């Protein structure tokens, strides 16, 4: 299988000339990072399905800084949001406005600033029809990985009437017809019939896009349709993960989302982060309409290129609990008792109005839904992207802004159970998407390098050893920072929090009584750590995390951990 | 402060002359033609209750006038003893290998126009599209089928189990307050054409869907019936703007459709509109309240620790509160029927 590889000018940069993102990004070009002009500012906007996030980035003392940022429900007006930020900035620090613009200003000049804008393209529905069940499964996997909602059937199992009804139901935007290449013996006879059936479907839905994967004859479609919107794609691969599966997935992804799609743009920004920071970066983007997992890592040979792998998982959208067992997982993580019917109603209501009811247990419910969505994202993507350790995990998308920073760190620690150490952060100002729309890698890298500390909200470092016997003294931590040295006893089975504020760096020396797995196995480890809102989390719980079966005990235990990282939950 | 009002997401109240889709499935036979003016209750198509797939041989050369395209309704042919079997009438799915695949079936039901308007598009086996003469009140979902009837408002606080009776047969009944699947099933049994509710819980929706499926599977089909949900899943009163529109059209012939979800209103009624700066609180501690937008309230930390943008709202009860903008909505004022 091939992975979506984004070399500097890879498929992620395949933008059209008239794309809004490309058209509206003069600012960084005008005054690239490090240029002589000390002034300049631009506005970033990330238009999601649920959230409109905006920020003002300006040059201060010769480097780009985040000056203001906020987020509103998606239906809010973009100009109104920009005005709000400008007014706030002007009220807080008129000198800063002057410094950013290079002239005294009332501030409203900022309204005319260039804009970098990314949009989430809502997942559309793709009808998949295949000759056999085997091919249907491959096509369905590729389409789902490309971010489509999928309805699927095969000629092997489903009669043409049902296939027609499935493909013409409301909401279906495109049709994917496929056979393997070369076709299996049982597919050869069906390929032509599938093409005819597809033509019959397309005749009922004028303008429907049709993707043909594999040796499907075009003639029946051309005979019936006057001007068919046909796209030829690679045939589905034999096994998940083989190169053709990825080619097909990428082609389907490109067909679904435009050049300024925020998920595509975040992947480009992930590449810049990996290049600039020299770290293996994992981005977990979760929104109301979809979710994406992105891995970006520097080349092992030390070159300037990065390897970027992207996989979407529409079923991991924040409040989507239609898959079997999904509602149970939200209930599993929710620390407040709620009967299933009420829980289902609240989640359905949140799917309709994601910004409402953020107060009190509404935030806790979002935390539980976020954990469940993250689980679904991993289940959908680990078979393709693997579950290897990374240096920096970033939460992106609207889901992460609905919980306080330290609570977001706890969400990641609860769900991502890998032995090792990782830094964690969130894209708090939703800058990754807009920055990712910058075409030029060097320009984007320079901006990312300049913004560095403003770009991400650092939550801290999580250290997760595996293979310790619970409820016993497991060893000791000695943390050395510029402020001194502190020592903490480690007790297996729980979470240990060590204060390490944002911006602080240090070295954690871990001495264990046993030989736990922390990447490699060993007794003594020395790990560089960075601080954040949550500090240093020593997660000495099981891998995978085992919680009591009884709901009341589980809630109590989860609530104990939650309270440590989310003290305002009971306020 | 009018400019800052744009921070609050708008919600459409009315849609002028909406185009609505009425769903078809392969095998349904459209009777009306594009451009026809239709009135509420006019039969637009015959719907086949249980469509099935049949394969028939291609007719003898010259029997067809031209080459039929998929979606064409083909008449049946009588059998000729010893020469060729008969073919049922049906809709052509496609031709392949010397045979035709048709969608056909028996027991046609009627698909009627939910309001006065004009047929503007026909997509065989998929949908037909009507342009409605009057405006549509925006809803969130129609559970069931489109229908039409006289609008009757049950009084606020009335128990739907007691208030529903056979005198309401044929009407579209607005049920304020708490509504459950039992009340809706009772409404259907009374011959009521449809109900309009503020919200409906997921469990009641499932009960309703199961009940509709049983009706569909039964030999005796009841009249079409649907539940139009104006809000979501949690119980909530109608916003005053919605209530005012409903009161303005009480007693008139209305229709309901699901794509898009709308209550179709008569073209000849003067409808009230809310003040532009009026906002509705849909969540949080003041949920259900309404008031006037005063301006941005700045970022505030909510109970639970999340920091959000707020707006200052002068509530109708006299309080002025900073309320999370995510908990606010306002109705956008259209030009419909003004």
């Amino acid at each position: 299988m091939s992975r979506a590889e984004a070399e500097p000018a890879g498929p992620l940069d395949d933008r059209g000339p008239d794309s809004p993102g490309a058209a509206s990004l003069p600012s960084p070009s005008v005054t690239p990072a490090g240029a002589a002009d000390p002034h300049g500012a631009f506005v970033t906007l990330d238009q999601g399905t649920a959230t409109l996030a905006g920020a003002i980035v300006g040059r201060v003392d010769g480097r780009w800084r985040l000056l203001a940022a906020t987020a509103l429900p998606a239906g809010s007006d973009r100009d109104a949001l920009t005005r709000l930020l400008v007014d706030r900035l002007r009220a807080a620090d008129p000198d800063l406005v002057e410094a950013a613009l290079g002239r005294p200003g009332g501030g409203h000049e900022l309204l005319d600033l260039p804009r970098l804008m990314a949009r989430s393209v809502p997942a559309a529905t793709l009808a998949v029809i295949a000759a056999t069940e085997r091919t249907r499964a491959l096509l369905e996997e590729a389409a789902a990985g490309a971010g489509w909602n999928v309805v699927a059937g095969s000629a092997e199992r489903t009669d043409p009437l049902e296939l027609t009804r499935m493909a013409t139901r409301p909401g279906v935007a495109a049709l994917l017809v496929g056979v393997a290449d070369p076709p299996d013996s049982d597919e050869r006879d069906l390929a032509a019939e599938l093409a005819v059936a597809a033509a019959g479907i397309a005749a009922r839905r004028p303008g429907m896009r049709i993707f043909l994967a594999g040796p499907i004859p075009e003639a029946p479609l051309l005979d019936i349709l006057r001007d068919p919107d046909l796209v030829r794609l690679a045939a589905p691969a034999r096994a998940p993960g083989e190169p053709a599966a990825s080619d097909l997935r990428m082609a389907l992804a490109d067909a679904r989302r435009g050049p300024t799609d925020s998920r595509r743009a975040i992947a480009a920004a992930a590449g810049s982060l990996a290049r600039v920071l020299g770290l293996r970066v994992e981005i977990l983007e979760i929104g109301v309409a979809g979710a994406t997992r992105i891995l970006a890592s520097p080349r092992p040979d030390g070159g300037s290129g990065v390897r970027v792998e992207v996989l979407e998982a529409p079923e991991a959208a924040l409040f989507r609990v239609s898959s079997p067992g999904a509602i149970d997982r939200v209930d599993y993580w929710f620390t407040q008792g709620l009967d299933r019917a009420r829980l289902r109603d609240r989640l359905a209501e949140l799917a309709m109005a994601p910004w409402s009811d953020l107060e009190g247990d509404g935030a806790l419910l979002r935390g539980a839904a976020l954990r469940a969505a993250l689980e679904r994202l991993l289940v959908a993507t680990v078979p393709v992207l693997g579950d290897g350790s990374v240096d920096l995990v970033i939460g992106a998308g609207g889901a992460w802004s609905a919980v306080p920073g330290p609570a977001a760190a706890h969400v990641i620690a609860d769900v991502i159970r890998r032995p090792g150490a990782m830094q964690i952060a969130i894209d708090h100002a939703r800058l990754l998407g807009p920055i990712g729309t910058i075409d030029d890698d060097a320009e984007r890298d320079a901006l990312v390098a300049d913004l560095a500390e403003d770009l991400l909200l650092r939550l801290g470092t999580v250290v997760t050893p595996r293979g310790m016997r619970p409820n016993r003294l497991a060893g000791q931590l000695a943390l050395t920072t510029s402020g001194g040295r502190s020592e903490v006893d480690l007790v297996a089975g729980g979470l240990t929090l060590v204060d390490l504020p944002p911006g602080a760096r240090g070295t954690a020396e871990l001495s264990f009584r046993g030989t736990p797995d922390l990447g490699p196995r060993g007794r003594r480890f020395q790990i560089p750590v960075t601080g954040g809102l949550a500090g240093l989390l020593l997660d000495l719980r099981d891998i995978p995390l085992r919680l009591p079966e009884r709901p009341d005990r589980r809630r109590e235990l989860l609530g104990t951990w939650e309270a440590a990282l989310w003290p305002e939950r009971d306020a | 402060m009018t400019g800052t009002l744009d921070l609050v997401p708008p919600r459409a109240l009315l849609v002028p002359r909406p185009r609505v889709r009425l769903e078809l499935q392969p095998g349904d036979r459209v009777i009306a033609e594009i451009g026809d003016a239709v009135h509420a209750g006019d039969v637009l198509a015959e719907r086949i209750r249980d469509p099935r797939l049949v394969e028939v041989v291609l007719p003898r050369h010259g029997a067809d006038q031209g080459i039929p395209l998929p979606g064409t309704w083909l008449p049946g042919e009588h059998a000729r003893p010893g020469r060729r079997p008969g073919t049922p009438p049906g809709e052509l799915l496609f031709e392949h290998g010397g045979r035709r695949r048709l969608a056909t079936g028996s027991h046609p039901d009627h698909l009627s126009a939910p309001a006065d308007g004009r047929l503007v598009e026909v997509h065989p086996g998929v949908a037909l599209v009507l342009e409605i003469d009057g405006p549509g009140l925006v809803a969130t979902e129609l559970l069931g089928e489109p229908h039409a009837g006289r609008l009757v408002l049950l009084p606020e606080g009335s128990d739907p189990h007691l208030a529903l009776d056979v005198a309401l047969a044929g009407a579209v009944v607005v049920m304020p307050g708490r509504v459950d699947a039992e009340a809706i099933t009772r409404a259907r049994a009374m011959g009521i054409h449809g109900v309009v509710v503020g919200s409906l819980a997921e469990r009641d929706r499932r009960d309703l869907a199961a009940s509709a499926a049983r009706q569909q599977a039964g030999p005796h089909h009841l009249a079409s019936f649907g539940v139009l949900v104006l809000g979501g899943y949690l119980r909530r009163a109608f916003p005053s703007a919605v209530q005012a529109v409903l009161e303005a059209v009480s007693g008139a012939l209305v229709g309901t459709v699901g794509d898009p979800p709308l209550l179709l209103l008569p073209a000849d009624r003067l409808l009230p509109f809310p003040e532009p700066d009026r906002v509705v609180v849909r969540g949080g501690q003041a949920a259900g309240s309404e008031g006037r937008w005063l301006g941005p309230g700045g970022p505030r930390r909510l109970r639970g620790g999340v920091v959000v943008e707020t707006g200052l709202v002068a509530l109708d009860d006299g309080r002025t509160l900073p309320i999370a903008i995510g908990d606010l909505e306002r109705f956008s004022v259209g030009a419909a029927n003004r």
Side-chain angles (χ1 to χ4, degrees):
Chain A
M1 82 161 208
S2 90
R3 298 177 166 185
E5 189 161 319
E7 275 290 341
L12 291 169
D13 290 329
D14 182 21
R15 300 191 176 101
D18 56 351
S19 63
S24 61
L25 47 87
S27 165
S29 313
V30 171
T31 49
D37 185 352
H39 308 297
F42 62 94
V43 173
T44 66
L45 290 167
D46 188 342
Q47 178 72 68
T49 311
T51 301
L52 170 68
I56 296 176
V57 176
R59 284 186 77 80
V60 180
D61 295 334
R63 57 171 286 218
W64 293 108
R65 299 299 307 265
L66 173 64
L67 304 182
T70 194
L72 291 168
S76 303
D77 182 75
R78 289 196 283 270
D79 289 335
L81 180 143
T82 308
R83 270 196 301 274
L84 181 75
L85 289 176
V86 169
D87 289 345
R88 190 166 292 163
L89 189 58
R90 188 178 50 186
D93 196 340
D95 295 341
L96 194 62
V97 175
E98 187 180 337
L101 287 176
R103 58 184 183 274
H108 279 281
E109 297 88 337
L110 292 170
L111 288 174
D112 301 324
L113 288 176
R115 293 180 177 187
L116 283 179
M117 183 161 176
R119 295 169 195 268
S120 297
V121 177
T125 301
L126 177 71
V128 172
I129 59 173
T132 61
E133 280 294 290
R134 191 173 55 255
T135 305
R136 179 201 56 76
L138 291 170
L139 291 171
E140 198 173 345
E141 181 191 282
W148 292 86
N149 291 322
V150 181
V151 289
S154 72
E156 189 179 56
R157 286 264 177 89
T158 314
D159 75 37
L161 176 59
E162 193 49 46
L163 286 178
T164 304
R165 288 165 69 170
M166 179 194 81
T168 54
R169 69 171 65 159
V172 173
L175 176 67
L176 170 62
V177 192
V179 293
D181 189 12
D184 295 332
S185 57
D186 50 351
E187 288 188 320
R188 280 194 196 103
D189 296 339
L190 289 170
E193 184 168 349
L194 273 185
V196 177
I201 290 165
R204 293 159 193 276
R205 291 284 304 273
M208 182 185 227
R209 281 190 296 169
I210 304 166
F211 304 113
L212 302 179
I216 298 278
E218 289 178 7
L221 291 146
L222 298 174
D223 284 348
I224 290 176
L225 306 174
R226 216 174 300 155
D227 186 21
D229 187 1
L230 288 181
V231 181
R232 276 266 171 214
L233 301 176
R238 293 289 159 177
E242 283 185 3
S246 183
D247 291 346
L248 179 59
R249 190 177 71 228
M250 286 172 61
L252 287 169
D254 285 345
R256 185 186 69 78
R257 48 196 191 192
T260 56
D261 175 61
S262 61
R263 294 194 170 95
R264 176 186 177 129
I266 288 173
S272 288
L273 277 171
R275 262 192 302 272
V276 169
L277 302 176
L279 299 176
R280 292 167 298 172
V281 176
E282 177 174 9
I283 297 185
L284 305 165
E285 187 275 335
I286 297 179
V288 168
T292 313
R293 185 165 164 236
I294 300 162
L295 296 176
S297 41
R299 289 277 183 199
D301 57 13
S304 61
V306 291
R307 181 182 180 82
V308 181
E309 301 166 276
V310 187
L311 196 62
E312 295 194 36
E315 69 272 28
L318 185 58
F319 301 120
R320 188 179 290 192
V321 289
S322 51
S323 57
I327 189 86
D328 296 327
R329 293 309 296 177
V330 180
D331 184 42
Y332 182 86
W333 289 112
F334 193 32
T335 51
Q336 315 289 303
L338 203 62
D339 72 77
R340 278 174 64 90
R342 180 78 179 163
L343 180 61
R344 199 179 280 278
D345 285 344
R346 284 191 65 180
L347 290 171
E349 189 80 13
L350 286 176
M352 292 176 64
W355 273 76
S356 72
D357 203 17
L358 257 167
E359 207 162 3
D361 73 345
L364 298 179
L365 179 56
R366 282 170 170 82
L370 180 54
R371 284 175 175 85
L374 195 49
E375 285 181 326
R376 296 196 297 276
L377 180 62
L378 292 179
V379 166
T381 58
V382 163
V384 177
L385 299 181
D387 197 22
S389 61
V390 296
D391 303 309
L392 172 62
V393 174
I394 301 169
W400 299 94
S401 58
V403 292
H410 184 207
V411 169
I412 290 174
D414 274 355
V415 180
I416 298 183
R417 308 297 299 164
R418 299 173 192 146
M422 59 186 177
Q423 300 170 39
I424 46 178
I426 52 175
D427 175 22
H428 64 123
R430 302 279 292 265
L431 290 173
L432 291 178
I435 286 176
T437 62
I438 297 175
D439 281 315
D440 184 74
D441 285 329
E443 193 176 331
R444 188 184 337 109
D445 289 359
L447 181 59
V448 166
D450 234 22
L451 273 171
E453 295 306 313
D454 292 347
L455 185 61
L456 299 175
L457 180 63
R458 298 281 181 165
L459 301 181
T461 304
V462 181
V463 179
T464 317
R466 174 166 62 188
M468 295 195 299
R469 305 175 80 176
N471 303 320
R472 297 187 181 194
L473 189 63
Q476 205 171 44
L477 159 77
L479 177 64
T480 308
T481 64
S482 58
R485 180 180 167 91
S486 58
E487 294 187 354
V488 179
D489 285 336
L490 303 178
V491 178
L495 269 176
T496 301
L497 306 181
V498 181
D499 192 30
L500 191 62
R505 292 176 185 276
T507 303
E509 291 174 39
L510 293 154
S511 307
F512 293 104
R513 292 186 167 187
T515 54
D517 177 3
L518 200 62
R521 280 192 172 275
R523 279 187 190 278
R524 294 173 65 83
F525 297 89
Q526 194 174 58
I527 301 168
V529 293
T530 58
L533 291 182
L536 172 61
L537 272 75
L538 290 154
D539 188 344
L540 308 176
R541 302 174 297 175
D542 298 326
I543 297 177
L545 187 61
R546 278 189 283 269
L547 296 174
E549 284 300 314
R550 276 184 51 176
D552 53 339
R553 289 192 181 167
R554 186 176 65 241
R555 284 189 200 115
E556 186 184 346
L557 184 58
L558 282 171
T560 308
W561 293 328
E562 199 168 62
L565 280 153
W566 193 343
E568 310 93 334
R569 70 192 278 275
D570 300 319
Chain B
M1 287 299 165
T2 316
T4 63
L5 185 62
D6 291 337
L7 295 170
V8 181
R11 171 180 159 187
L13 180 66
L14 295 165
V15 181
R17 295 184 70 81
R19 287 195 166 204
V20 302
R21 281 165 50 96
L22 302 175
E23 198 179 340
L24 300 173
Q25 56 181 337
D28 291 348
R29 185 179 186 187
V30 178
I31 295 170
E33 294 186 358
I34 291 177
D36 282 357
V38 298
H39 299 284
D42 287 356
V43 176
L44 305 175
E46 288 179 345
R47 274 181 161 164
I48 289 173
R49 202 176 299 172
D50 297 306
R52 66 181 198 281
L53 182 76
V54 293
E55 284 192 358
V56 300
V57 294
L58 287 174
R60 63 189 182 282
H61 184 68
D64 285 334
Q65 295 178 336
I67 301 170
L69 290 172
T72 306
W73 180 265
L74 297 174
E77 281 190 10
H78 291 296
R80 294 185 177 184
R83 298 186 64 181
R84 49 187 307 130
T87 60
E91 183 185 322
L92 178 66
L93 290 182
F94 56 86
E95 290 180 0
H96 181 65
R99 301 181 78 80
R100 281 179 173 166
R101 270 75 164 177
L102 300 180
T104 186
S106 55
H107 306 300
D109 297 322
H110 287 161
L111 173 66
S112 303
D116 297 351
R118 193 168 57 87
L119 184 64
V120 290
E121 290 176 38
V122 174
H123 303 288
V126 180
L128 42 81
V129 180
L130 289 178
E131 187 179 75
I132 301 299
D133 291 344
L137 176 69
V138 175
T140 56
E141 194 173 4
L142 174 70
L143 306 163
E145 298 159 55
H147 51 266
R150 181 173 49 89
L151 190 74
V152 175
L153 272 66
L154 294 188
E156 186 73 35
S158 61
D159 182 350
H161 296 96
L162 303 175
L164 297 173
D165 62 44
V166 290
L168 297 173
V172 172
V173 178
V174 179
M175 294 184 176
R178 182 167 181 77
V179 178
D180 56 21
E182 191 184 338
I184 292 169
T185 306
R186 182 176 162 82
R188 180 170 203 165
M190 296 287 177
I192 290 169
H193 277 187
V195 297
V196 179
V197 298
S199 60
L200 198 62
E202 175 71 21
R203 184 163 44 192
D204 295 323
R205 292 171 190 243
R206 290 175 177 213
D207 289 349
L208 186 65
S211 170
R214 284 195 298 274
Q215 294 286 351
Q216 183 73 21
H220 303 293
H221 215 197
L222 293 181
S224 63
F225 177 83
V227 178
L228 189 72
V229 186
L230 298 184
Y233 294 74
L234 302 177
R235 186 180 174 189
R236 197 163 287 135
F238 293 125
S240 61
V242 172
Q243 183 70 29
V245 170
L246 292 172
E247 285 170 4
V249 295
S250 179
L253 185 65
V254 298
T256 62
V257 284
D259 189 8
L262 294 170
L263 180 67
L264 303 174
L265 309 176
D268 56 356
R269 296 276 177 124
L270 197 62
L271 300 175
F273 288 91
E275 291 301 313
D277 62 351
R278 189 153 188 84
V279 292
V280 179
V281 187
R282 62 167 298 149
Q285 290 181 328
S289 308
E290 298 189 20
R292 204 162 50 80
W293 170 261
L294 298 178
R300 286 177 192 256
R301 185 184 298 274
L302 298 179
R303 198 166 50 87
V306 183
V307 178
V308 295
E309 293 289 347
T310 62
L312 284 175
V313 179
L315 295 174
D316 291 345
D317 62 11
R319 294 178 296 165
T320 297
L321 295 178
I323 294 175
I325 289 178
D327 279 330
L328 296 177
E329 63 183 11
R330 63 189 167 92
F331 288 103
S332 58
V333 180
N337 201 24
R338 210 157 189 194

